[in-house]
Amino acid sequence: MSQTILAISGKPGLYKLVSRAKNSLIVESLDASHKRMPAFATDRITSLADIAMFTETEDIALYKVFNAVKELEQGKPVSIDYRKASGKELQDYFTKVLPQWDRDRVHTSDIKKLLQWYNILVSAGITDFNELTPTEGDNIDNRENDDEQTAE
């Protein structure tokens, strides 16, 4: 079953889309609390399926980067302590994951966020990152309609 995993600007962690309300989305945190809350149109909400990492040739979808981390770590949480690691250590680690990453446009904070998200997903039992592939459509409503059409 495909899940929509979201990042909400200004709020820590990742969230799973649960439902839609009249003027908001109902999301559930992927941490141990599983707290549900509304996310409004004023929040900057981004689906992980829509995020890509810069490389020297072309942008790589985030799910492919997660799969590379999963392969390196054998499906376990990351072995590096990204909170305490120096920028050089994070860059060296990320070079093992994605050798062609763009060192000018990908910042240390981006690497930390990626590793944090990977750990959150693994801790929540989400390890099939291919479910995070982008779907067709400009917004979430179009995607839902596309899903219904393909299910028929």
Side-chain angles (χ1 to χ4, degrees):
M1 182 180 103
S2 182
Q3 300 180 56
T4 302
I5 307 297
L6 306 170
I8 303 174
S9 182
K11 298 188 189 312
L14 293 174
Y15 300 85
K16 175 175 62 170
L17 177 63
V18 175
S19 180
R20 291 180 180 78
K22 185 173 182 178
N23 294 322
S24 64
L25 300 174
I26 306 301
V27 297
E28 180 180 298
S29 69
L30 287 179
D31 63 13
S33 72
H34 296 288
K35 181 179 176 185
R36 289 187 179 193
M37 64 182 195
F40 297 99
T42 54
D43 295 323
R44 264 191 37 216
I45 304 168
T46 307
S47 170
L48 293 194
D50 296 332
I51 299 174
M53 292 295 281
F54 296 117
T55 67
E56 294 169 352
T57 55
E58 62 183 351
D59 295 351
I60 301 289
L62 191 61
Y63 79 93
K64 292 181 180 177
V65 181
F66 282 150
N67 279 327
V69 175
K70 178 182 171 183
E71 187 176 312
L72 178 68
E73 297 293 347
Q74 300 173 343
K76 298 176 183 150
V78 294
S79 56
I80 187 172
D81 185 355
Y82 59 86
R83 291 182 189 101
K84 296 180 181 176
S86 69
K88 173 86 171 96
E89 291 171 327
L90 287 169
Q91 291 171 358
D92 291 345
Y93 178 85
F94 200 59
T95 299
K96 294 177 193 171
V97 173
L98 192 66
Q100 71 276 24
W101 66 282
D102 188 332
R103 284 148 181 82
D104 294 328
R105 297 190 291 173
V106 176
H107 302 98
T108 303
S109 60
D110 300 328
I111 298 170
K112 283 183 179 181
K113 180 74 71 177
L114 175 118
L115 297 178
Q116 177 189 17
W117 286 351
Y118 172 82
N119 279 350
I120 290 170
L121 291 170
V122 169
S123 297
I126 300 170
T127 56
D128 183 7
F129 301 119
N130 294 325
E131 289 185 2
L132 301 176
T133 56
T135 55
E136 297 300 318
D138 293 333
N139 64 40
I140 201 160
D141 293 326
N142 289 350
R143 292 178 189 170
E144 184 176 86
N145 292 337
D146 288 347
D147 290 344
E148 289 171 3
Q149 290 172 357
T150 56
E152 294 174 357

